[in-house]
Amino acid sequence: MTTELNLENLAKSAKKASIVMASLSTETKNNALLAVAENINKNKSLILQENQKDLENAKILVEEGKLTQSLFNRLVLNDEKIDVMVQGIKDLVMLEDPVNKTQWAMELDEGLNLYRVSCPIGVIGVIFESRPEVVPQIASLAIKSSNAVILKGGSEANNSNQVLVDIINEALKGVSGFPENAINLIKTRHDVAEMLKMDDYIDLIIPRGSNSLVKHIQSNTKIPVLGHAEGICHVYVDEHADFAKAVKICVDSKIQYPSACNAVETILVHKNIAETFLPVLVKDLQDVGVTVKGDTTVKNIVSNVEAASEEDWSTEYLAPIISIRVVADLDAAIAHIEQYGSHHTDSIVTEHWSHAQRFLREVDSASVMVNASTQFADGFEYGLGAEIGISTDKLHARGPVGLEGLTTQKYVVLGDGSVRA
């Protein structure tokens, strides 16, 4: 049997599972989630054992320059991360079922009523790098939203991903009424290439990674693609900023989780405050181990920073590195973000409300913030329970994609012998 035939059978099976899942009760789905959470918690040691195999292989890849340190950091699992996995799944149990919700209704005629109702998308293919904790996040979101999934993680996390999928499916087998083949895993680039041909069975592809990955997927499939591209996030410190707030927000936006896609990569500082603000900001960043790069103006004010190149403004470091640029005004800050940003998350620090309002209106990003750390751009923080990723697209979902982003809609018409004539 060929690999292509195996992939087609897998996609067919996932499609059949998705049809059954569309009819599952909320109780059955919640029972499935609790079973998965319990089985993950019960198998902590096995998960860590398999993750250690990946880490040992990944260390060699880092030494050979074939894997970045930031991707290695994302690969690491520990007791705390597993506890977060388990709690995230349990949190989904408490959320409202996103499926079969009547969004609005109207009477078209006597005895003829129209309803718009939420429904699952069907089969979703998700392609992601490192971060094996993504596996239970996506699987649990799929369960609650009645979708089947086909997962493809990075090869560096093969052992971790496989054990997590095995543990999840073992738990689902014990849930009455839950279909087989709802949660699937593929491993090779060839598998991905074949999956992209399966537009008869797969309804949506979600690539989580670089712009080049997203564009490659979009160019090689007829399946709709929800792009989760890189996060080149900005904090703009306005001339009317509170300095204490600004320093705290800039530092947190970088160091809270440097390898996350919502970490700030470039700080823009208004020229009128640069002389007094930059020395404080740079010192606080360097004190927590952040490598600071700056444009010519920044280097003239604070000499002990590296020179930023043109490439730095469009670089997602995913590491404790940051670039700083001095800008003339709010217009220049917005123009910089439009030119170099990835439409992920951008924040302004200001006490000037009209400046804040302009930033919110004119910065075209999935999350736009005032006086807040970019690291809040996260499904858990937004109360979504979990996220399948951050979408930088405008359709059909944008920002952290949780349960609602994994549903679509259908129109239901209930008549009583109704005819147009």
Side-chain angles (χ1 to χ4, degrees):
M1 187 177 288
T2 64
T3 303
E4 181 175 357
L5 184 58
N6 284 335
L7 260 294
E8 186 171 2
N9 284 341
L10 183 148
K12 283 182 178 178
S13 297
K15 190 68 174 178
K16 289 179 181 177
S18 72
I19 294 169
V20 176
M21 292 181 73
S23 298
L24 292 180
S25 68
T26 302
E27 181 183 10
T28 297
K29 293 189 290 186
N30 285 343
N31 287 341
L33 290 171
L34 291 173
V36 168
E38 181 182 352
N39 211 32
I40 288 175
N41 192 52
K42 188 170 69 175
N43 286 282
K44 269 187 184 181
S45 59
L46 177 59
I47 294 168
L48 294 176
Q49 174 185 309
E50 294 303 303
N51 182 243
Q52 188 58 41
K53 294 178 184 177
D54 288 330
L55 294 176
E56 289 170 3
N57 294 331
K59 284 177 186 176
I60 298 171
L61 295 176
V62 172
E63 291 168 1
E64 295 175 346
K66 296 177 181 177
L67 187 74
T68 65
Q69 186 62 44
S70 62
L71 285 179
F72 179 88
N73 294 342
R74 289 184 172 200
L75 182 59
V76 177
L77 290 179
N78 52 39
D79 283 333
E80 182 181 355
K81 282 189 176 182
I82 295 175
D83 288 342
V84 171
M85 282 184 207
V86 170
Q87 188 56 50
I89 297 169
K90 291 179 178 179
D91 288 344
L92 279 179
V93 174
M94 306 305 295
L95 294 181
E96 184 181 7
D97 192 332
V99 177
N100 295 322
K101 289 170 59 178
T102 299
Q103 298 167 342
W104 58 258
M106 65 182 295
E107 185 180 46
L108 299 178
D109 200 353
E110 184 177 350
L112 183 64
N113 297 300
L114 172 67
Y115 303 86
R116 191 174 75 189
V117 180
S118 62
C119 60
I121 291 171
V123 179
I124 302 174
V126 186
I127 304 165
F128 58 97
E129 296 174 323
S130 290
R131 294 191 64 189
E133 65 263 38
V134 167
V135 171
Q137 286 178 8
I138 295 172
S140 58
L141 283 165
I143 291 167
K144 185 79 175 193
S145 60
S146 299
N147 291 291
V149 289
I150 301 172
L151 302 167
K152 167 60 174 74
S155 59
E156 68 279 0
N158 272 346
N159 293 295
S160 304
N161 293 341
Q162 186 65 65
V163 73
L164 284 165
V165 168
D166 289 345
I167 288 168
I168 290 167
N169 281 326
E170 180 183 49
L172 294 177
K173 284 180 181 177
V175 179
S176 177
F178 203 93
E180 294 183 8
N181 308 118
I183 311 298
N184 306 277
L185 180 68
I186 60 176
K187 294 186 176 181
T188 69
R189 290 184 179 181
H190 181 268
D191 289 343
V192 173
E194 295 305 319
M195 179 174 72
L196 297 181
K197 301 174 185 177
M198 306 291 176
D199 51 294
D200 286 340
Y201 311 112
I202 300 173
D203 300 287
L204 181 68
I205 298 286
I206 303 179
R208 296 180 49 167
S210 65
N211 277 323
S212 59
L213 170 67
V214 175
K215 288 177 181 177
H216 172 78
I217 298 299
Q218 290 171 328
S219 300
N220 289 277
T221 187
K222 296 178 182 178
I223 303 168
V225 177
L226 187 64
H228 289 232
E230 60 194 350
I232 300 175
C233 304
H234 300 80
V235 173
Y236 166 55
V237 183
D238 187 46
E239 63 177 318
H240 301 288
D242 177 295
F243 279 19
K245 287 181 188 176
V247 170
K248 186 166 66 171
I249 288 167
C250 288
V251 172
D252 184 82
S253 293
K254 177 80 269 185
I255 68 162
Q256 202 276 332
Y257 191 175
S259 60
C261 61
N262 59 13
V264 67
E265 307 295 12
T266 298
I267 297 172
L268 305 171
V269 178
H270 194 289
K271 65 178 183 179
N272 291 350
I273 63 170
E275 290 277 355
T276 51
F277 178 70
L278 282 173
V280 179
L281 174 64
V282 170
K283 181 181 184 302
D284 278 30
L285 286 167
Q286 291 176 337
D287 283 349
V288 291
V290 177
T291 298
V292 180
K293 300 184 176 186
D295 67 359
T296 303
T297 306
V298 174
K299 283 188 65 62
N300 287 339
I301 296 171
V302 187
S303 59
N304 64 332
V305 300
E306 297 180 15
S309 66
E310 176 65 21
E311 185 182 1
D312 283 306
W313 310 126
S314 53
T315 298
E316 184 183 28
Y317 300 113
L318 299 175
I321 305 169
I322 202 156
S323 55
I324 304 178
R325 185 176 216 171
V326 174
V327 293
D329 51 25
L330 176 59
D331 287 332
I334 293 172
H336 177 102
I337 293 169
E338 178 62 28
Q339 180 176 354
Y340 297 103
S342 62
H343 307 291
H344 190 296
T345 301
D346 299 291
S347 180
I348 182 174
V349 185
T350 187
E351 300 301 309
H352 196 295
W353 186 237
S354 65
H355 284 197
Q357 286 293 298
R358 272 201 61 206
F359 192 88
L360 292 175
R361 287 193 303 266
E362 297 179 26
V363 172
D364 182 24
S365 294
S367 289
V368 191
M369 303 180 171
V370 177
N371 295 331
S373 168
T374 60
Q375 300 257 351
F376 281 110
D378 174 82
F380 285 107
E381 295 294 338
Y382 284 4
L384 303 178
E387 66 181 37
I388 204 165
I390 306 266
S391 172
T392 51
D393 279 355
K394 293 187 178 181
L395 299 173
H396 77 289
R398 197 179 195 199
V401 179
L403 291 173
E404 288 190 4
L406 296 179
T407 64
T408 183
Q409 63 192 35
K410 62 172 66 171
Y411 289 90
V412 175
V413 178
L414 300 182
D416 183 21
S418 307
V419 295
R420 284 288 299 273

